[in-house]
Amino acid sequence: MSANINHSLPLEYQTEQNRLNILGFWVFLGAEIVLFATLFAVYGVLGHRYAGGPTPSDIFKLNDVLIETLLLLTSSFTCGLAVFFMRQRNMKQLLVWFIITLLLGAGFLFMEIREFIHYVHEGATMQTSAFLSSFFVLLGTHGAHVTFGIIWAIMLIIQLLQRGLTPVTARKMFIISLYWHFLDVVWIFIFTFVYLKGMVG
Amino acid sequence: MGIKWNEIFVGGDPLLVGSQIAIVLTVVAIVVGLTYFKKWGWLWREWLTTVDHKKIGIMYILSGVLMFFRGGMDGLLMKAQTARPEMNFLDAQHYNEIFTTHGVIMILFMAMPFLIGLMNVVVPLQIGARDVAFPQLNALSFWLFFSGAMLFNISFVVGGSPDAGWTSYFPLAGKEFSPGIGNNYYAIALQIAGLGTLMTGINFIVTILKMRAPGMTLMKMPMFTWTTFITSIIIVAAFPIFTVALALMTFDRLYGTHFFTLSSGGSDMLWANLFWLWGHPEVYIVILPAFGIFSEVIATFSRKTLFGYTSMVVSIVGIAFLSMIVWVHHFYTMDAGPAVNSFFSITTMLIAVPTGVKIFNWLFTMRKGRIQFTTAMLWALAFVPNFVIGGVTGVMLAMAAADFQYHNTLFLVAHFHYVLIPGVVFAVFAGLYYWWPKMFGFMLNEKLGKYHFWLFTIGFNVTFMPMFFLGLKGAVRRAYTYSAESGFAPLFLVSAIGSIILAIGFAVFCYNIYWSFRYAKRNVFHDPWDARTLEWMTASPVQFYNFAVVPEVKQLDAFWHMKKRGETLTLKESDIKKIHMPSNSGLPFYMAVVFGITGFFLVFEAHIAAAVAAIGIVVGLIIRSFDYNDGYYVSVDEIKETERTWRNVEGGTENHVG
């Protein structure tokens, strides 16, 4: 399995086990798409059931959301740069851009948590109405994914420092970049179908 | 949130106290036995830490047998309670708990592990692989399933069982109407087990796509591998919906959200939709691998290649697609309107088309075949007419207008037992009798197997055939008793007697395992059935690396044609190369323990304790991330040694059929 290194391929695709892992992760992302699609469907059903509580236009602070969006979209770009430098075998640039990615991700999380605290202070908790239940769980699931990604990435940075770029660490780096871009795509849907639609409708 | 801690241990009822004592005694006996025979190290090295797909499969199957016993007991208790009118054997609450756990256990903890167990044992062998794509993840899948199953099973002695039906419809399953913790068990135990199932789906998709022997194109795969592949795709597409549904249920029950509640804008019908969006594909997740097993068994014992292979593949793909667009037929009566009901009525009836194609393909496979009436084949033969009864009554139920008459009666209950028992349980038995020698190196006794077969099939029909008529007369499901004036008593009594015959059949099966384990001949031929697919090419029981040299596949039924060409037992020792194998790991077992503990605290709404236990999960993930164990190599000498032991057995081996 770990034998048969094919040097003509990018580092992360060189061993058979790596190719299996990457395909497996794509399939896992398929499952994640179903998971988020279900949460969006739930939000679609419940999103207008305010039960006398606050509506989106009462509470949403679009300025903060715009900053969150910019932070996360930029982090996807820097994550792409990190993988670009990994392909160039440039460890230093890889780490720099990967750490910038994480800082942007952490900034996003900070803004999102602040936003949630603001809502709770306004009396909009997830127990208030079906709209807020589905709002908090949809966004909370995304935020939990980002948190998990940051912890995962820190573990990976330690391994990159310990071991350098090997087919295994390159594969791990590649897979986490898939994960990170995926979370970005989910956020685009959240921004569109939760925030923009909430402010317009 | 209002848990009465002094009522955690359910007491009072002699049945439950008896169960508690039995559980304690069994645990003590197991611990004492393992210590006395000094088997702890063996258990840890050979089983708890194994990543071998064959051993994981065997553990799944063993769990399936245990859960069949548990779920069967629930069934017998229900039959005892309804044997006579106005019985006082179980009270209404106890009856509610028992039909709930019966349903959940039979589907998720009996049918699923039996089939996933057979998939684990057989599929890598059928495609000529050394293991699945992610062996350690496979172990994690099993241990998460096991953790969830155990958590669910302790509910009836610790805290109370869920009692809102296996569908757990809201608002009944919500905190407002079910304030106890029983339904917390449902939400959390199924979540843990479901994670394991999702990982199994991913694992088998990658395994089947990427690890087939050279020459085995998709359309040369054995049918069981095909059905496993499609099943895995349905798992990945459907289980995340259940994950979300259960998570939202957990939020509603534990954290006071309003997804499915009646107040504050929640929608109880949202639960019904989400549940069946997963639940209907789930039916096909258990039925498709079973179809695969029948295809293998029927082709082998008809001594013919499977009739209509391509149409079989098209049919299972079609069934998989249709399985996603029929879910509303589970609640026609809940006011979705005639247009919606008509749509789902048509899609539901459409499923009969690919299923019918498969039935005819099996019949044509048998036509002009030289059929051998082995126990495995008997199950496959009995499957056809019994399953057709289930299928035809299914088409009756599919008619939305007519369903208003049938729904929520025992007619429905009889229908889905006629689908699931011949469809899944018969298949599992067929598969076990068929592949048993491959797993253990000895056969199950064929004579006992035939007793098992006749008792079980007769008992099954006597139990469930009367329920069609009871249902048409208006007997509702899930009612714990009925009046003498209803006139239901005679048929209920017949049904109860049938369930005893069914139970005796299962007991004979358990005795058969015991008898064969003790007395069956051990020098069984590696290909005792003169079979057609690659798993029969290697030793019985299979050596841990599966194949000394990965075979090259030229056509469908590869092994059959190799035998025709006389190239099966010839192994050039110069072809043998060292083999890479994955190392054992205790981490999956550890993860099951911390998941179980976290789940247990969550069930009891001890949020801080659960959060602390959840740190253990994160620690496990971090340990895994830093684990660079790359497996090991089996040396050429060891492989040669192993291969010589089974390829040249002194005095010849016994060929049971030929």
Side-chain angles (χ1 to χ4, degrees):
Chain A
M1 290 178 185
S2 66
N4 307 326
I5 293 178
N6 182 347
H7 292 286
S8 66
L9 293 167
L11 200 52
E12 67 271 19
Y13 281 104
Q14 284 183 359
T15 68
E16 179 61 29
Q17 189 64 45
N18 276 4
R19 291 192 288 272
L20 294 180
N21 283 28
I22 290 169
L23 176 64
F25 198 78
W26 276 110
V27 179
F28 170 75
L29 286 184
E32 287 273 62
I33 288 172
V34 179
L35 184 115
F36 277 103
T38 312
L39 285 170
F40 275 107
V42 169
Y43 185 79
V45 172
L46 302 179
H48 58 276
R49 299 190 178 205
Y50 310 124
T55 64
S57 48
D58 291 340
I59 53 169
F60 285 171
K61 297 208 301 182
L62 214 50
N63 286 344
D64 284 18
V65 177
L66 216 54
I67 296 170
E68 285 165 30
T69 308
L70 281 176
L71 286 171
L72 205 62
L73 292 193
T74 314
S75 84
S76 212
F77 177 65
T78 57
C79 186
L81 284 180
V83 171
F84 173 78
F85 285 113
M86 179 181 87
R87 293 261 166 84
Q88 313 247 311
R89 309 281 172 105
N90 187 336
M91 182 66 151
K92 196 175 154 219
Q93 292 283 346
L94 159 62
L95 283 174
V96 167
W97 289 107
F98 196 35
I99 288 168
I100 290 175
T101 305
L102 294 189
L103 291 176
L104 290 167
F108 164 84
L109 266 185
F110 172 78
M111 293 293 291
E112 184 170 53
I113 291 168
R114 219 181 58 151
E115 185 196 336
F116 282 7
I117 290 172
H118 167 75
Y119 295 156
V120 172
H121 279 301
E122 302 250 302
T125 68
M126 69 177 183
Q127 288 88 4
T128 309
S129 66
F131 151 61
L132 286 164
S133 296
S134 55
F135 170 82
F136 276 111
V137 169
L138 171 58
L139 269 79
T141 307
H142 177 264
H145 274 75
V146 176
T147 315
F148 180 81
I150 290 174
I151 298 170
W152 177 10
I154 292 169
M155 298 305 134
L156 180 54
I157 289 172
I158 297 170
Q159 289 167 42
L160 282 167
L161 290 171
Q162 282 174 340
R163 293 166 187 275
L165 269 179
T166 68
V168 176
T169 51
R171 176 248 294 167
K172 290 186 174 198
M173 181 66 213
F174 182 72
I175 283 177
I176 199 172
S177 76
L178 293 180
Y179 180 80
W180 200 263
H181 294 312
F182 169 74
L183 293 182
D184 216 49
V185 173
V186 173
W187 181 259
I188 291 169
F189 280 87
I190 289 178
F191 183 72
T192 313
F193 290 108
V194 176
Y195 287 110
L196 289 186
K197 189 168 162 288
M199 295 307 280
V200 174
Chain B
M1 285 196 193
I3 295 166
K4 300 195 182 79
W5 289 94
N6 57 341
E7 289 176 10
I8 291 294
F9 282 95
V10 185
D13 191 319
L15 276 174
L16 290 177
V17 175
S19 313
Q20 284 164 344
I21 293 169
I23 290 170
V24 171
L25 287 180
T26 312
V27 171
V28 170
I30 291 171
V31 171
V32 169
L34 283 170
T35 313
Y36 182 78
F37 292 106
K38 298 194 172 64
K39 288 288 190 187
W40 284 106
W42 165 82
L43 184 70
W44 178 256
R45 280 189 309 276
E46 296 290 322
W47 296 98
L48 301 188
T49 62
T50 187
V51 296
D52 182 337
H53 69 97
K54 302 176 285 296
K55 286 184 174 173
I56 289 170
I58 287 168
M59 290 194 289
Y60 266 119
I61 289 166
L62 197 61
S63 313
V65 174
L66 282 174
M67 290 295 111
F68 201 158
F69 180 77
R70 162 77 210 269
M73 277 308 199
D74 287 344
L76 286 178
L77 289 173
M78 282 190 277
K79 282 291 155 200
Q81 164 63 23
T82 54
R84 306 298 306 140
E86 282 157 64
M87 284 269 279
N88 288 315
F89 176 56
L90 303 173
D91 59 29
Q93 172 61 23
H94 200 165
Y95 194 81
N96 290 349
E97 294 179 8
I98 280 177
F99 72 64
T100 303
T101 53
H102 172 77
V104 173
I105 286 174
M106 284 304 201
I107 292 282
L108 288 158
F109 300 138
M110 185 281 283
M112 293 288 282
F114 262 137
L115 292 166
I116 293 179
L118 286 170
M119 279 155 59
N120 259 291
V121 172
V122 176
V123 168
L125 293 169
Q126 280 197 333
I127 61 173
R130 294 250 151 73
D131 207 315
V132 292
F134 314 115
Q136 190 168 329
L137 188 73
N138 198 25
L140 182 63
S141 285
F142 169 75
W143 285 110
L144 287 182
F145 147 75
F146 190 75
S147 182
M150 289 302 109
L151 187 60
F152 189 85
N153 268 279
I154 60 167
S155 65
F156 82 112
V157 285
V158 187
S161 293
D163 56 0
W166 93 279
T167 51
S168 273
Y169 281 146
F170 279 78
L172 177 60
K175 201 77 177 168
E176 197 182 350
F177 296 99
S178 297
I181 59 156
N183 286 290
N184 293 353
Y185 272 111
Y186 180 96
I188 289 155
L190 297 194
Q191 187 72 282
I192 295 172
L195 284 176
T197 308
L198 177 62
M199 292 172 197
T200 299
I202 296 172
N203 216 334
F204 276 90
I205 289 178
V206 178
T207 305
I208 294 170
L209 280 180
K210 295 286 247 186
M211 295 175 75
R212 299 192 306 277
M216 186 183 277
T217 58
L218 284 175
M219 293 308 275
K220 287 175 191 159
M221 292 198 305
M223 193 46 63
F224 182 57
T225 302
W226 252 114
T227 55
T228 300
F229 178 53
I230 299 297
T231 299
S232 304
I233 291 174
I234 308 180
I235 286 175
V236 172
F239 261 79
I241 305 173
F242 196 42
T243 304
V244 170
L246 288 172
L248 302 187
M249 179 193 236
T250 311
F251 272 107
D252 264 12
R253 292 190 55 86
L254 267 61
Y255 305 111
T257 52
H258 294 285
F259 289 101
F260 310 126
T261 57
L262 295 177
S263 57
S264 302
S267 163
D268 50 346
M269 282 310 294
L270 183 61
W271 166 266
N273 278 282
L274 290 179
F275 180 86
W276 285 112
L277 262 167
W278 160 80
H280 200 87
E282 164 68 15
V283 176
Y284 292 90
I285 291 169
V286 294
I287 208 82
L288 284 183
F291 285 172
I293 295 169
F294 287 129
S295 300
E296 302 293 344
V297 167
I298 288 174
T300 298
F301 295 114
S302 303
R303 330 222 59 74
K304 279 176 67 191
T305 196
L306 189 66
F307 185 89
Y309 178 90
T310 312
S311 65
M312 282 294 207
V313 173
V314 174
S315 297
I316 51 177
V317 174
I319 290 173
F321 173 72
L322 288 171
S323 78
M324 301 284 174
I325 51 168
V326 296
W327 78 94
V328 172
H329 72 212
H330 294 275
F331 41 89
Y332 280 142
T333 56
M334 291 193 195
D335 209 22
V340 172
N341 277 2
S342 304
F343 174 81
F344 284 95
S345 209
I346 291 165
T347 54
T348 304
M349 286 187 229
L350 273 179
I351 287 198
V353 176
T355 316
V357 168
K358 295 182 77 69
I359 294 279
F360 280 106
N361 279 338
W362 287 314
L363 292 177
F364 281 117
T365 307
M366 287 187 255
R367 181 173 175 269
K368 289 193 175 175
R370 272 178 289 129
I371 297 177
Q372 292 167 312
F373 292 93
T374 59
T375 307
M377 187 62 179
L378 286 180
W379 289 111
L381 289 171
F383 153 75
V384 174
N386 284 301
F387 187 79
V388 167
I389 295 174
V392 169
T393 51
V395 177
M396 288 168 72
L397 285 157
M399 293 182 277
D403 182 64
F404 279 70
Q405 178 65 27
Y406 309 132
H407 93 107
N408 216 31
T409 67
L410 292 179
F411 186 85
L412 168 76
V413 177
H415 152 70
F416 68 69
H417 281 88
Y418 260 90
V419 178
L420 285 170
I421 293 180
V424 179
V425 181
F426 285 16
V428 165
F429 286 139
L432 287 178
Y433 281 94
Y434 182 60
W435 280 304
W436 197 270
K438 201 39 64 183
M439 288 189 266
F440 296 101
F442 61 89
M443 324 245 307
L444 285 174
N445 184 299
E446 282 284 302
K447 195 173 170 196
L448 284 171
K450 280 165 190 162
Y451 282 118
H452 168 208
F453 168 78
W454 285 110
L455 285 165
F456 200 91
T457 44
I458 291 170
F460 158 70
N461 275 290
V462 176
T463 308
F464 292 103
M465 189 58 84
M467 288 167 78
F468 281 122
F469 299 101
L470 281 169
L472 290 178
K473 282 184 182 178
V476 293
R477 69 191 292 205
R478 291 170 172 167
Y480 83 109
T481 193
Y482 53 92
S483 67
E485 295 76 38
S486 64
F488 296 154
L491 285 175
F492 264 119
L493 186 63
V494 171
S495 179
I497 292 168
S499 71
I500 294 169
I501 304 173
L502 192 66
I504 296 170
F506 180 69
V508 172
F509 171 64
C510 294
Y511 177 71
N512 195 352
I513 294 177
Y514 166 79
W515 188 92
S516 306
F517 183 72
R518 286 290 296 270
Y519 305 114
K521 286 185 186 133
R522 288 307 197 266
N523 59 340
V524 60
F525 187 52
H526 71 108
D527 177 27
W529 310 115
D530 196 11
R532 318 180 72 82
T533 42
L534 287 181
E535 73 269 28
W536 301 101
M537 195 179 167
T538 192
S540 293
V542 183
Q543 60 279 48
F544 64 95
Y545 51 78
N546 292 359
F547 296 95
V549 175
V550 174
E552 186 146 346
V553 175
K554 296 198 178 71
Q555 65 271 81
L556 187 66
D557 290 338
F559 180 54
W560 178 263
H561 292 282
M562 284 177 194
K563 285 190 281 191
K564 292 287 164 240
R565 293 194 298 266
E567 52 187 53
T568 50
L569 278 174
T570 47
L571 174 69
K572 265 190 264 161
E573 295 208 329
S574 57
D575 286 350
I576 296 176
K577 296 190 181 66
K578 62 180 180 171
I579 295 174
H580 181 263
M581 294 300 290
S583 305
N584 282 4
S585 168
L587 204 54
F589 182 73
Y590 162 83
M591 289 299 269
V593 173
V594 285
F595 261 98
I597 293 171
T598 310
F600 186 80
F601 284 134
L602 268 185
V603 165
F604 286 93
E605 300 173 17
H607 301 295
I608 295 168
V612 173
I615 294 172
I617 298 173
V618 178
V619 169
L621 290 172
I622 291 174
I623 293 171
R624 176 66 183 135
S625 179
F626 281 87
D627 175 12
Y628 275 74
N629 185 331
D630 203 23
Y632 64 97
Y633 283 94
V634 189
S635 71
V636 175
D637 288 337
E638 191 187 338
I639 299 165
K640 281 182 184 165
E641 191 67 30
T642 315
E643 292 300 313
R644 279 184 201 130
T645 54
W646 72 275
R647 283 176 195 264
N648 307 309
V649 181
E650 282 290 319
T653 50
E654 199 140 339
N655 188 334
H656 282 254
V657 178

